Structure formats: structure tokens, C-alpha cells
Amino acid sequence: MKKYNIAVVGATGAVGIEMLKMLETRDFPVDHLYLFASSRTAGQKMKFKNREITVEDINKINDYSIFKTKYQLNIALFSAGASVSKEWAPRFAEQGVFVVDNSSCFRMEKDVPLVVPEVNPHDLSKDKKIIANPNCSTIQMVVVLKPIHDAVKIKRIIVSTYQAVSGAGGKALEELKNQTLCWAKGEKIPQAVKLPYQIAFNVIPQIDIFLDNAYTKEEIKMLDETQKIMGDSSIKVSATCVRVPVFLSHSESVWIETEQKMTASEARDLLKNAEGVIVVDEPSQKKYPLPIDAAGQQVTYVGRIREDITTENGLVMWIVSDNLLKGAALNAVQIAEILIAKGFC
Ligand code: L14
């Protein structure tokens, strides 16, 4: 079986670490693996299968042709923030390397496919070297909604998210841990640094910056990205994105209005057969998706499916998935798997 040379840029970050795990647990056909990060964490050693790989400082590379000649890279997985992506993704792509970029940098560019493998793998092509990995909250929502949209056409989505702290990175995770420990010891809780306010024992209705229309950027990403991935600019999305004191997995309360009616039991049957989706929906048994159950899992869970009592063609549901896996690292690795399966590299 052919093997491929892979780079991970941002390897030491919360998502980068999961990218390595996904490549390993999914038995991705890796030949050489190159790890890059900024000078802050370069030099660190990371384990991959039985190998120990030293993280290289990306800023020490000034001859980009080595991505092709010396490293012979096929695919680079990026998760080092939008500014690194903006600078470095084109330098890899110009050397013929496919870049799967987890940042928001290129997502809405016309010639950049924005891909969720269960939804729009057909948007990938051999000559579009930069591919964007969507926002975590958007990915888990469209995986569940696409089969419903295909069946009865979704007109409108109203969603509130309950987003885990890991979305804001490893330092934010430390912040939640530390605040909780201080509280438990009866000590004064230190000032928040990574998040806008104390997150322990709190919820914060702000993720990313505010825009002129009073929505946050995260909320507008859910609108723009849903339309692009679903290939339908008529779908309306109004989101409220909220940070909750959960380590892993985003949860979402999702209300949809459809053109034709779909009953809750029809939706359940449809979603039972949907790729990457597991229905957990037995209220009488107290069974519904929980973030602590979704953490570490490679699927998206949906439950609490019910017919809306305020409108004819409405459904309400609860969607949960690991934000670092399907919301980031897993989706990126799945895109890489499709590039290989289609023979693009
Ligand atoms: O657009 O939970 O990819 O802080 C991913 C992490 C948006 C914010 C993105 C979070 C970001 C999100």
C-alpha cells in the first residue's frame, strides 16, 4: 500500500495533538511525519506510533522548495491559528502540497473548498490545494442536518451552542482547571486571561469578537459556513454561541423549520442511517447525548428529537460532538483520507 509524507503545522497545540492521535488510531498510511510549531514549542519531542519526532521551528525554514524536494510532502494539516495559516499555507500549496487548514482564514474564499466529508466531499478537487476545515460548531450541526435538508429542505435554523473550553485552546483548559481548584480550596479565583470572564461556575455568551450587527463572529461563521457546505444560500441561520464550563465536546440546541413536514420518528429513522451520526434518544430511559460521553468519540450524537409545538413544520433536537475530533482533527484527517481515496495525491 502506498504511503504518504505528512506535515502537521501547530503540532503541539490542543488540535495538533489530536491530529497525531487521529493519524495513529485511524491507521493513516503515513510514511514520514514532519511536525512544525513556533519557536515557543519547537524542540519538543512528540510520540507517533513507535517513533519519537522532534518538533521543528517553522520560522527557521526560508527555502520553501524543500517541502517538495527534501520532505516530498503530500499533505500538510494546519492548526496553528489564522495568522500562521495566512502566511504559510500558500508556501506549502505552491510546492504542490495539499493543505487542510483548520483556521478561519480561507474558509469563505471562493476557490477554497470548505469540506465536511459526510456532506460535500465532491467539493474537493485535484487542483485546489488549500482546503478549509470548517468551524467546530458548524461541522457537527451540518453532519446531522444534511440528510434532513435533502429530504424536506431546511428553510431556517435557530441554534444555541454550549461550547467547551478546549475550543479556546490548551491554555483556556488550564484556566478552567485552575479556577475550579482555587474554588475548591476556598482560595480567591484568579483573573481570567484566555477567556473574557471567569468560566468556572459561569456561562459566557461571547465566542470570538462582536460584529456591527451585534452577532459575534462565531455566530456569523455558523451562518456563512452552513450555506457554503450545504451548497444552499437560501438556508437562514441565527446562532447564539455560548461558552460553558465543560472541557470537551460542544452541545447544541437546534431548531429547524422545513419546507415539507417531517415527523420526529421519521427524523430518528433517517438519522439512524446517517453517516457519522448516532441517535441517542430514549427520554423514558433518561437517554440523550451528553458532552462527557461524546468526549474522545469520533461520531456526532443527536437526541431529544421532537416536533416543535409552535409551528407546523418544525423540529427541535440536541446535537453533541467532540469539538477537537469531529470539530477539528478528525474532520481534517478524513479530508486527507478522501484526497488519497480519490487519487489526488
Ligand atoms: O473558527 O470554541 O475554528 O473557541 C474554533 C474554536 C472558533 C472558536 C474556529 C472556540 C474557532 C472556537
Side-chain angles (χ1 to χ4, degrees), residues 104 107 135 137-138 159-161 163 196-197 204-225 237-243:
S104 58
R107 286 179 190 153
N135 167 269
S137 303
T138 308
V159 52
S160 290
T161 69
Q163 294 185 222
Y197 293 98
I204 306 172
Q206 180 191 353
I207 294 175
D208 214 326
I209 56 169
F210 280 98
L211 304 173
D212 289 342
N213 63 3
Y215 280 84
T216 62
K217 203 169 158 190
E218 180 81 350
E219 290 158 355
I220 296 304
K221 283 182 217 165
M222 291 191 78
L223 161 66
D224 292 341
E225 295 184 23
V237 183
S238 178
T240 303
C241 293
V242 182
R243 184 82 64 196

Side-chain angles (χ1 to χ4, degrees), residues 43-256:
Q44 219 171 286
K45 289 184 166 56
M46 296 181 79
K47 283 203 86 162
F48 179 73
K49 294 194 170 168
N50 295 323
R51 315 171 209 177
E52 203 171 61
I53 304 169
T54 305
V55 179
E56 301 176 53
D57 183 346
I58 192 145
N59 291 302
K60 292 229 168 97
I61 293 175
N62 37 43
D63 173 12
Y64 314 131
S65 68
I66 64 167
F67 294 141
K68 188 179 339 229
T69 54
K70 183 173 158 212
Y71 293 1
Q72 300 186 6
L73 288 173
N74 302 103
I75 303 170
L77 307 176
F78 268 63
S79 191
S83 56
V84 175
S85 293
K86 197 173 165 74
E87 191 177 345
W88 285 92
R91 292 173 181 165
F92 281 73
E94 277 157 22
Q95 301 301 322
V97 182
F98 277 101
V99 172
V100 184
D101 179 40
N102 193 48
S103 83
S104 58
C105 182
F106 304 107
R107 286 179 190 153
M108 295 315 296
E109 280 190 17
K110 206 175 151 290
D111 290 328
V112 174
L114 180 66
V115 175
V116 177
E118 293 85 348
V119 178
N120 60 335
H122 46 266
D123 284 346
L124 295 168
S125 77
K126 197 172 168 53
D127 45 274
K128 289 182 178 152
K129 296 291 184 209
I130 298 182
I131 300 142
N133 209 40
N135 167 269
C136 35
S137 303
T138 308
I139 294 177
Q140 66 182 65
M141 186 171 81
V142 297
V143 166
V144 173
L145 295 188
K146 173 72 162 119
I148 299 175
H149 185 58
D150 288 344
V152 289
K153 193 163 171 26
I154 296 172
K155 293 200 297 191
R156 201 148 79 97
I157 302 171
I158 297 179
V159 52
S160 290
T161 69
Y162 301 66
Q163 294 185 222
V165 168
S166 51
K171 289 221 182 84
L173 278 176
E174 286 304 313
E175 202 159 287
L176 170 58
K177 247 184 246 176
N178 195 31
Q179 290 172 357
T180 311
L181 278 173
C182 286
W183 176 85
K185 290 191 276 188
E187 292 169 6
K188 187 172 180 291
I189 293 177
Q191 189 73 37
V193 180
K194 257 327 251 188
L195 296 168
Y197 293 98
Q198 176 186 318
I199 186 63
F201 317 105
N202 202 10
V203 295
I204 306 172
Q206 180 191 353
I207 294 175
D208 214 326
I209 56 169
F210 280 98
L211 304 173
D212 289 342
N213 63 3
Y215 280 84
T216 62
K217 203 169 158 190
E218 180 81 350
E219 290 158 355
I220 296 304
K221 283 182 217 165
M222 291 191 78
L223 161 66
D224 292 341
E225 295 184 23
T226 297
Q227 292 183 342
K228 181 166 173 175
I229 298 162
M230 303 266 244
D232 185 343
S233 57
S234 73
I235 305 176
K236 295 179 186 151
V237 183
S238 178
T240 303
C241 293
V242 182
R243 184 82 64 196
V244 295
V246 164
F247 288 122
L248 276 174
S249 300
H250 291 351
S251 305
E252 298 175 337
S253 161
V254 180
W255 176 96
I256 59 171

Side-chain angles (χ1 to χ4, degrees), residues 4-5 16 30 71 93 99 137 169 205 208 275 282 298 301 308 340:
Y4 300 83
N5 295 331
V30 177
Y71 293 1
V99 172
S137 303
D208 214 326
E275 209 189 323
E282 291 174 72
Q298 298 185 31
Y301 297 90
D308 176 45
I340 290 173

